[in-house]
mmCIF file of all heavy atoms in Angstrom:
data_model
loop_
_atom_site.group_PDB
_atom_site.id
_atom_site.type_symbol
_atom_site.label_atom_id
_atom_site.label_comp_id
_atom_site.label_asym_id
_atom_site.label_seq_id
_atom_site.Cartn_x
_atom_site.Cartn_y
_atom_site.Cartn_z
ATOM 1 N N GLU G 45 11.310 -16.204 -14.570
ATOM 2 C CA GLU G 45 11.032 -17.328 -15.465
ATOM 3 C C GLU G 45 10.320 -16.863 -16.737
ATOM 4 O O GLU G 45 10.265 -17.597 -17.725
ATOM 5 C CB GLU G 45 10.211 -18.399 -14.745
ATOM 6 C CG GLU G 45 10.940 -19.065 -13.576
ATOM 7 C CD GLU G 45 12.309 -19.605 -13.991
ATOM 8 O OE1 GLU G 45 12.384 -20.360 -14.989
ATOM 9 O OE2 GLU G 45 13.316 -19.259 -13.334
ATOM 10 N N SER G 46 9.789 -15.651 -16.718
ATOM 11 C CA SER G 46 9.172 -15.101 -17.927
ATOM 12 C C SER G 46 10.221 -14.739 -18.977
ATOM 13 O O SER G 46 9.883 -14.501 -20.139
ATOM 14 C CB SER G 46 8.371 -13.841 -17.574
ATOM 15 O OG SER G 46 9.239 -12.796 -17.153
ATOM 16 N N GLY G 47 11.468 -14.681 -18.567
ATOM 17 C CA GLY G 47 12.530 -14.304 -19.488
ATOM 18 C C GLY G 47 12.747 -12.808 -19.597
ATOM 19 O O GLY G 47 13.585 -12.355 -20.376
ATOM 20 N N THR G 48 11.986 -12.009 -18.811
ATOM 21 C CA THR G 48 12.126 -10.552 -18.831
ATOM 22 C C THR G 48 12.245 -10.027 -17.404
ATOM 23 O O THR G 48 12.042 -10.766 -16.428
ATOM 24 C CB THR G 48 10.925 -9.865 -19.507
ATOM 25 O OG1 THR G 48 9.802 -9.912 -18.623
ATOM 26 C CG2 THR G 48 10.577 -10.547 -20.822
ATOM 27 N N THR G 49 12.528 -8.726 -17.309
ATOM 28 C CA THR G 49 12.553 -8.048 -16.008
ATOM 29 C C THR G 49 11.403 -7.042 -15.933
ATOM 30 O O THR G 49 11.501 -6.035 -15.234
ATOM 31 C CB THR G 49 13.896 -7.330 -15.808
ATOM 32 O OG1 THR G 49 14.095 -6.403 -16.880
ATOM 33 C CG2 THR G 49 15.053 -8.317 -15.775
ATOM 34 N N SER G 50 10.319 -7.319 -16.622
ATOM 35 C CA SER G 50 9.227 -6.352 -16.736
ATOM 36 C C SER G 50 8.514 -6.082 -15.417
ATOM 37 O O SER G 50 7.799 -5.092 -15.298
ATOM 38 C CB SER G 50 8.214 -6.825 -17.780
ATOM 39 O OG SER G 50 7.689 -8.095 -17.433
ATOM 40 N N ALA G 51 8.694 -6.937 -14.407
ATOM 41 C CA ALA G 51 8.065 -6.677 -13.114
ATOM 42 C C ALA G 51 8.731 -5.526 -12.376
ATOM 43 O O ALA G 51 8.185 -5.020 -11.392
ATOM 44 C CB ALA G 51 8.101 -7.937 -12.246
ATOM 45 N N PHE G 52 9.901 -5.101 -12.856
ATOM 46 C CA PHE G 52 10.655 -4.020 -12.226
ATOM 47 C C PHE G 52 10.578 -2.782 -13.117
ATOM 48 O O PHE G 52 11.256 -2.703 -14.145
ATOM 49 C CB PHE G 52 12.112 -4.442 -12.018
ATOM 50 C CG PHE G 52 12.269 -5.563 -11.028
ATOM 51 C CD1 PHE G 52 12.010 -6.877 -11.404
ATOM 52 C CD2 PHE G 52 12.645 -5.307 -9.728
ATOM 53 C CE1 PHE G 52 12.136 -7.915 -10.489
ATOM 54 C CE2 PHE G 52 12.775 -6.337 -8.804
ATOM 55 C CZ PHE G 52 12.518 -7.643 -9.185
ATOM 56 N N PRO G 53 9.741 -1.801 -12.770
ATOM 57 C CA PRO G 53 9.486 -0.679 -13.674
ATOM 58 C C PRO G 53 10.564 0.388 -13.679
ATOM 59 O O PRO G 53 10.500 1.322 -14.468
ATOM 60 C CB PRO G 53 8.176 -0.099 -13.134
ATOM 61 C CG PRO G 53 8.202 -0.434 -11.678
ATOM 62 C CD PRO G 53 8.887 -1.755 -11.569
ATOM 63 N N ARG G 54 11.549 0.298 -12.809
ATOM 64 C CA ARG G 54 12.616 1.300 -12.748
ATOM 65 C C ARG G 54 13.939 0.684 -13.172
ATOM 66 O O ARG G 54 14.179 -0.501 -12.959
ATOM 67 C CB ARG G 54 12.771 1.841 -11.327
ATOM 68 C CG ARG G 54 11.592 2.638 -10.815
ATOM 69 C CD ARG G 54 11.762 2.918 -9.331
ATOM 70 N NE ARG G 54 10.714 3.785 -8.825
ATOM 71 C CZ ARG G 54 10.844 5.097 -8.661
ATOM 72 N NH1 ARG G 54 11.986 5.680 -8.944
ATOM 73 N NH2 ARG G 54 9.832 5.821 -8.213
ATOM 74 N N LYS G 55 14.800 1.521 -13.732
ATOM 75 C CA LYS G 55 16.154 1.065 -14.022
ATOM 76 C C LYS G 55 17.118 2.237 -13.887
ATOM 77 O O LYS G 55 16.725 3.406 -13.953
ATOM 78 C CB LYS G 55 16.267 0.475 -15.423
ATOM 79 C CG LYS G 55 16.224 1.506 -16.549
ATOM 80 C CD LYS G 55 16.514 0.858 -17.896
ATOM 81 C CE LYS G 55 16.464 1.896 -19.018
ATOM 82 N NZ LYS G 55 16.737 1.297 -20.335
ATOM 83 N N GLY G 56 18.376 1.917 -13.662
ATOM 84 C CA GLY G 56 19.435 2.922 -13.656
ATOM 85 C C GLY G 56 20.694 2.296 -14.207
ATOM 86 O O GLY G 56 21.288 1.435 -13.561
ATOM 87 N N ILE G 57 21.067 2.662 -15.416
ATOM 88 C CA ILE G 57 22.298 2.161 -16.033
ATOM 89 C C ILE G 57 23.136 3.363 -16.435
ATOM 90 O O ILE G 57 22.737 4.130 -17.304
ATOM 91 C CB ILE G 57 22.014 1.260 -17.255
ATOM 92 C CG1 ILE G 57 21.216 0.026 -16.830
ATOM 93 C CG2 ILE G 57 23.316 0.853 -17.933
ATOM 94 C CD1 ILE G 57 20.855 -0.901 -17.981
ATOM 95 N N ASP G 58 24.257 3.524 -15.776
ATOM 96 C CA ASP G 58 25.194 4.584 -16.119
ATOM 97 C C ASP G 58 26.413 3.937 -16.747
ATOM 98 O O ASP G 58 27.178 3.232 -16.076
ATOM 99 C CB ASP G 58 25.589 5.372 -14.874
ATOM 100 C CG ASP G 58 24.432 6.194 -14.346
ATOM 101 O OD1 ASP G 58 24.116 7.209 -14.965
ATOM 102 O OD2 ASP G 58 23.835 5.797 -13.328
ATOM 103 N N GLY G 59 26.608 4.157 -18.045
ATOM 104 C CA GLY G 59 27.697 3.520 -18.763
ATOM 105 C C GLY G 59 27.166 2.461 -19.704
ATOM 106 O O GLY G 59 26.080 2.587 -20.269
ATOM 107 N N THR G 60 27.914 1.378 -19.851
ATOM 108 C CA THR G 60 27.571 0.334 -20.822
ATOM 109 C C THR G 60 27.241 -0.996 -20.163
ATOM 110 O O THR G 60 27.367 -2.042 -20.785
ATOM 111 C CB THR G 60 28.730 0.149 -21.820
ATOM 112 O OG1 THR G 60 29.923 -0.223 -21.088
ATOM 113 C CG2 THR G 60 28.999 1.422 -22.596
ATOM 114 N N GLY G 61 26.819 -0.953 -18.909
ATOM 115 C CA GLY G 61 26.415 -2.182 -18.243
ATOM 116 C C GLY G 61 25.179 -2.788 -18.887
ATOM 117 O O GLY G 61 24.467 -2.129 -19.651
ATOM 118 N N THR G 62 24.914 -4.047 -18.566
ATOM 119 C CA THR G 62 23.767 -4.747 -19.152
ATOM 120 C C THR G 62 22.971 -5.463 -18.073
ATOM 121 O O THR G 62 23.504 -5.877 -17.041
ATOM 122 C CB THR G 62 24.219 -5.783 -20.198
ATOM 123 O OG1 THR G 62 25.092 -6.735 -19.584
ATOM 124 C CG2 THR G 62 24.932 -5.101 -21.364
ATOM 125 N N VAL G 63 21.678 -5.607 -18.352
ATOM 126 C CA VAL G 63 20.768 -6.400 -17.527
ATOM 127 C C VAL G 63 20.113 -7.412 -18.446
ATOM 128 O O VAL G 63 19.505 -7.040 -19.452
ATOM 129 C CB VAL G 63 19.687 -5.520 -16.867
ATOM 130 C CG1 VAL G 63 18.758 -6.374 -16.021
ATOM 131 C CG2 VAL G 63 20.321 -4.416 -16.031
ATOM 132 N N SER G 64 20.227 -8.687 -18.123
ATOM 133 C CA SER G 64 19.663 -9.727 -18.981
ATOM 134 C C SER G 64 19.167 -10.880 -18.121
ATOM 135 O O SER G 64 19.554 -11.021 -16.960
ATOM 136 C CB SER G 64 20.707 -10.237 -19.983
ATOM 137 O OG SER G 64 21.832 -10.774 -19.301
ATOM 138 N N VAL G 65 18.290 -11.682 -18.691
ATOM 139 C CA VAL G 65 17.825 -12.895 -18.014
ATOM 140 C C VAL G 65 18.543 -14.076 -18.633
ATOM 141 O O VAL G 65 18.583 -14.218 -19.856
ATOM 142 C CB VAL G 65 16.298 -13.038 -18.138
ATOM 143 C CG1 VAL G 65 15.829 -14.348 -17.509
ATOM 144 C CG2 VAL G 65 15.595 -11.853 -17.471
ATOM 145 N N ALA G 66 19.152 -14.902 -17.786
ATOM 146 C CA ALA G 66 20.011 -15.991 -18.251
ATOM 147 C C ALA G 66 19.768 -17.233 -17.392
ATOM 148 O O ALA G 66 19.130 -17.152 -16.340
ATOM 149 C CB ALA G 66 21.477 -15.558 -18.157
ATOM 150 N N PRO G 67 20.254 -18.399 -17.831
ATOM 151 C CA PRO G 67 20.176 -19.582 -16.969
ATOM 152 C C PRO G 67 20.871 -19.325 -15.633
ATOM 153 O O PRO G 67 21.959 -18.740 -15.586
ATOM 154 C CB PRO G 67 20.907 -20.658 -17.790
ATOM 155 C CG PRO G 67 20.793 -20.202 -19.209
ATOM 156 C CD PRO G 67 20.851 -18.705 -19.157
ATOM 157 N N ALA G 68 20.240 -19.724 -14.559
ATOM 158 C CA ALA G 68 20.820 -19.514 -13.234
ATOM 159 C C ALA G 68 22.075 -20.371 -13.066
ATOM 160 O O ALA G 68 22.059 -21.563 -13.384
ATOM 161 C CB ALA G 68 19.807 -19.851 -12.153
ATOM 162 N N PRO G 69 23.167 -19.790 -12.593
ATOM 163 C CA PRO G 69 24.398 -20.552 -12.399
ATOM 164 C C PRO G 69 24.386 -21.329 -11.079
ATOM 165 O O PRO G 69 23.406 -21.272 -10.325
ATOM 166 C CB PRO G 69 25.471 -19.462 -12.370
ATOM 167 C CG PRO G 69 24.766 -18.293 -11.754
ATOM 168 C CD PRO G 69 23.338 -18.371 -12.249
ATOM 169 N N GLY G 70 25.457 -22.038 -10.799
ATOM 170 C CA GLY G 70 25.641 -22.671 -9.503
ATOM 171 C C GLY G 70 24.703 -23.809 -9.209
ATOM 172 O O GLY G 70 24.442 -24.112 -8.039
ATOM 173 N N GLY G 71 24.167 -24.473 -10.243
ATOM 174 C CA GLY G 71 23.291 -25.622 -10.012
ATOM 175 C C GLY G 71 21.908 -25.261 -9.513
ATOM 176 O O GLY G 71 21.171 -26.130 -9.036
ATOM 177 N N ARG G 72 21.497 -24.006 -9.650
ATOM 178 C CA ARG G 72 20.205 -23.585 -9.113
ATOM 179 C C ARG G 72 19.033 -24.043 -9.978
ATOM 180 O O ARG G 72 17.973 -24.395 -9.475
ATOM 181 C CB ARG G 72 20.174 -22.062 -8.961
ATOM 182 C CG ARG G 72 18.920 -21.540 -8.276
ATOM 183 C CD ARG G 72 19.001 -20.034 -8.081
ATOM 184 N NE ARG G 72 17.837 -19.502 -7.396
ATOM 185 C CZ ARG G 72 17.681 -19.444 -6.084
ATOM 186 N NH1 ARG G 72 18.653 -19.924 -5.302
ATOM 187 N NH2 ARG G 72 16.589 -18.946 -5.525
ATOM 188 N N GLY G 73 19.187 -24.029 -11.285
ATOM 189 C CA GLY G 73 18.089 -24.370 -12.177
ATOM 190 C C GLY G 73 17.212 -23.174 -12.464
ATOM 191 O O GLY G 73 17.145 -22.226 -11.691
ATOM 192 N N GLY G 74 16.537 -23.194 -13.586
ATOM 193 C CA GLY G 74 15.670 -22.091 -13.967
ATOM 194 C C GLY G 74 16.466 -20.883 -14.435
ATOM 195 O O GLY G 74 17.627 -20.990 -14.847
ATOM 196 N N LYS G 75 15.823 -19.717 -14.344
ATOM 197 C CA LYS G 75 16.434 -18.489 -14.844
ATOM 198 C C LYS G 75 16.716 -17.520 -13.708
ATOM 199 O O LYS G 75 16.121 -17.614 -12.622
ATOM 200 C CB LYS G 75 15.508 -17.823 -15.877
ATOM 201 C CG LYS G 75 15.261 -18.674 -17.113
ATOM 202 C CD LYS G 75 14.234 -18.026 -18.026
ATOM 203 C CE LYS G 75 13.941 -18.920 -19.235
ATOM 204 N NZ LYS G 75 12.879 -18.337 -20.093
ATOM 205 N N ALA G 76 17.606 -16.592 -13.974
ATOM 206 C CA ALA G 76 17.953 -15.540 -13.027
ATOM 207 C C ALA G 76 18.285 -14.290 -13.821
ATOM 208 O O ALA G 76 18.561 -14.353 -15.021
ATOM 209 C CB ALA G 76 19.134 -15.964 -12.151
ATOM 210 N N VAL G 77 18.276 -13.139 -13.144
ATOM 211 C CA VAL G 77 18.675 -11.907 -13.814
ATOM 212 C C VAL G 77 20.175 -11.712 -13.608
ATOM 213 O O VAL G 77 20.700 -11.913 -12.511
ATOM 214 C CB VAL G 77 17.880 -10.692 -13.303
ATOM 215 C CG1 VAL G 77 18.088 -10.454 -11.806
ATOM 216 C CG2 VAL G 77 18.240 -9.446 -14.089
ATOM 217 N N ARG G 78 20.859 -11.356 -14.693
ATOM 218 C CA ARG G 78 22.312 -11.202 -14.668
ATOM 219 C C ARG G 78 22.665 -9.727 -14.893
ATOM 220 O O ARG G 78 22.245 -9.121 -15.867
ATOM 221 C CB ARG G 78 22.956 -12.054 -15.771
ATOM 222 C CG ARG G 78 24.472 -11.968 -15.854
ATOM 223 C CD ARG G 78 24.971 -12.847 -17.001
ATOM 224 N NE ARG G 78 26.432 -12.910 -17.057
ATOM 225 C CZ ARG G 78 27.201 -12.081 -17.774
ATOM 226 N NH1 ARG G 78 26.620 -11.110 -18.491
ATOM 227 N NH2 ARG G 78 28.500 -12.210 -17.771
#
Side-chain angles (χ1 to χ4, degrees):
E45 296 307 308
S46 67
T48 74
T49 58
S50 59
F52 294 79
R54 294 171 175 262
K55 73 173 180 180
I57 298 178
D58 291 286
T60 59
T62 59
V63 180
S64 60
V65 176
R72 186 176 182 86
K75 298 174 183 177
V77 61
R78 180 181 185 269

